Amino acid sequence: MPGKVALRLTRYEVNADGSVAAQSSSYFDTQINPSEFKHTLGIDYGDEKAQGQTAARSRFKSVAPDTVAFAIWLDGTGAVPASPDVRSQVDVLRNVCYRYVGTEHEPPYVHIVWGSFSFMGRDRKSTRLNSSHTDISRMPSSA
């Protein structure tokens, strides 16, 4: 996509020595900025109640994994310049984020870059790719 990229997802590998190798040919660029974007960080606490205490004491347990959630729009009407059909865009997105890594028996790692925001991680059990399609050629025209 020529010009400024709104949000880029790039597939990468983590080598045995811990180094990261981007798969520069496996990326997805959004056409426009996400309509929703959420970055969540957390800390988990465990409640411990000693014998004889009336209330449990919260103690640090662990740092929860960061999560990222966002909503993007894909255009296949031509309203966004140089936009391929929606099916092709969804196929590229699925290839980058969801194509199973057979040699590792796991989902891929993905680097998300949006402006100065950078996040490296992978699909977790609660992550979903939801898609809804609207055929605007069937919408009523304004007269």
Side-chain angles (χ1 to χ4, degrees), residues 38-81:
K38 183 178 177 182
H39 179 208
T40 305
L41 303 113
I43 296 175
D44 291 329
Y45 291 91
D47 292 332
E48 294 180 0
K49 187 174 179 182
Q51 190 172 6
Q53 284 184 320
T54 57
R57 179 176 177 206
S58 292
R59 289 186 148 287
F60 172 78
K61 182 178 174 185
S62 64
V63 174
D66 291 19
T67 60
V68 174
F70 52 89
I72 58 174
W73 291 88
L74 305 177
D75 176 65
T77 66
V80 176

Side-chain angles (χ1 to χ4, degrees), residues 9-13 22-23 26 95-96 99-101 108-110:
L9 306 166
T10 306
R11 191 176 174 123
Y12 72 93
E13 295 176 351
Q23 297 177 358
S26 187
N95 182 54
V96 170
R99 190 186 73 213
Y100 187 70
V101 182
Y109 289 95
V110 178

